[in-house]
Amino acid sequence: MSTVDALQKALAAEHAAVWAYGLIGGQLVNTARQQLATECLGAHATRRDALVATLTARKATPVQAEAGYEVPQPVRDPASAYALAVHVEEGVAAAWRAALAGTAERQVRQTGLAALTDASNRAVTWRTAAGKTPATVPLPGIAP
Amino acid sequence: MPLVVTRRRVLGGALFGGGAALLGSAASGCRAPWQDAKAAPPDPLEALIAAERGLIASYDAVITALPQLSGRLSALRADHLTHLNVLRRTVDPGAADLPGAAPTAGGAPIGNHAPKPGGNPMPTDQPGALAALATATRQAADRFGQACLTAPPRRAGLLGAIAACESSHLGLLS
């Protein structure tokens, strides 16, 4: 995998995350959790925009967002919304973890590490909201 | 397996011009000191393995002193045990997993938490103990993060994942 490939895969994951949080926010009734979903959406949009800029600077055409994405289960209530949020953060974590292995560039690694850490933290928050224990996973972004 | 590079100092023949006896003893299997291969540098993962052992030992010290925290801390301790075993297998693919149970559950101690001279033992009050675990965890997150930045690609993902996991513990230790 080249650095550009790694960044494109991360961008694809961030596009999916931005889309998913629109769905998630629509199902939450708890104000604090709605606020959290809004913040998560914003964070993923920021990462997306940074990736678009980075890829453009490298003369690559940034991968585009899909019109819609498949979800593992229908999102129709807070519980299924929390489950999707966990799933999203795990997917984003996997893409950034792969990006770390896909580049030797220090700056890209720094970005990847920060993004992986953020996704791990958010996954813990959403697992806690879902009442899932344990709330942590030992190796975020690596399939168990 | 990491590539092991040894450097053998090559000595000029003149040094041994009259040293037949020394050469004889070398040939029979006794190694003269200068013939020792310069030791291969230790795998950088060894220091990180030691760090995880230290964290597990800290958890065990806290759980022993404050058993009411056992439920809260055992899942976090389990993450560190996974880190330890994965790192050990990365260095030595044949390494067997270390047994999991905390000493309070009958397990053998994993790390050495004997306080170093001038070092601090774990606090025995709950807020102090949790703060000490958080500090140690934050330090581990930084160490694994730094290692991730400069690791060969095949290790960067693992080290980043461990760093991220340590960070994700902090919210649960406050």
Side-chain angles (χ1 to χ4, degrees):
Chain A
M1 191 196 297
S2 67
T3 298
V4 163
D5 289 339
L7 293 171
Q8 293 278 31
K9 289 190 164 73
L11 175 56
E14 295 291 359
H15 278 313
V18 168
W19 177 89
Y21 272 105
L23 215 60
I24 289 162
Q27 291 299 327
L28 300 179
V29 294
N30 175 294
T31 317
R33 301 257 160 84
Q34 280 176 332
Q35 177 63 26
L36 177 60
T38 302
E39 286 165 7
C40 290
L41 192 156
H44 287 293
T46 299
R47 290 261 176 234
R48 172 201 61 196
D49 295 344
L51 282 162
V52 167
T54 301
L55 285 160
T56 304
R58 289 170 188 252
K59 311 282 191 264
T61 303
V63 69
Q64 300 225 313
E66 307 286 340
Y69 296 84
E70 279 186 22
V71 292
Q73 53 168 318
V75 179
R76 51 167 67 112
D77 55 20
S80 50
Y82 298 151
L84 180 58
V86 173
H87 178 76
V88 163
E89 296 303 339
E90 289 175 349
V92 167
W96 282 110
R97 197 274 313 157
L100 289 173
T103 185
E105 294 184 42
R106 190 186 176 93
Q107 269 204 303
V108 178
R109 290 249 180 110
Q110 270 170 332
T111 301
L113 182 61
L116 174 56
T117 301
D118 288 346
S120 310
N121 284 329
R122 285 191 294 262
V124 170
T125 302
W126 290 114
R127 287 191 200 99
T128 304
K132 209 168 169 199
T133 54
T136 62
V137 297
L139 297 172
I142 298 181
Chain B
M1 289 283 269
L3 186 65
V4 173
V5 176
T6 62
R7 272 176 277 148
R8 191 175 290 279
R9 275 176 288 165
V10 177
L11 298 169
L15 277 171
F16 288 97
L22 282 167
L23 284 174
S25 66
S28 71
C30 288
R31 297 176 67 78
W34 55 82
Q35 288 184 290
D36 284 344
K38 193 126 184 223
D43 192 313
L45 290 190
E46 295 291 355
L48 297 170
I49 287 169
E52 287 288 0
R53 282 181 177 266
L55 270 168
I56 292 169
S58 297
Y59 269 86
D60 288 343
V62 171
I63 291 169
T64 299
L66 300 162
Q68 68 271 25
L69 288 179
S70 163
R72 184 170 166 183
L73 297 182
S74 60
L76 304 181
R77 181 192 188 277
D79 283 348
H80 291 301
L81 187 60
T82 298
H83 300 164
L84 177 60
N85 285 324
V86 170
L87 289 166
R88 288 174 64 247
R89 269 203 306 283
T90 303
V91 173
D92 170 11
D97 280 0
L98 292 174
T104 51
I110 275 180
N112 174 15
H113 196 70
K116 297 175 196 147
N120 303 318
M122 295 303 285
T124 47
D125 66 294
Q126 181 161 320
L130 291 174
L133 287 175
T135 298
T137 302
R138 200 173 292 113
Q139 287 168 350
D142 289 344
R143 289 187 71 174
F144 278 94
Q146 283 304 308
C148 167
L149 295 183
T150 55
R154 72 182 183 281
R155 287 186 175 180
L158 172 62
L159 295 174
I162 295 176
C165 177
E166 319 294 41
S167 294
S168 79
H169 284 192
L170 295 175
L172 299 170
L173 287 168
S174 55

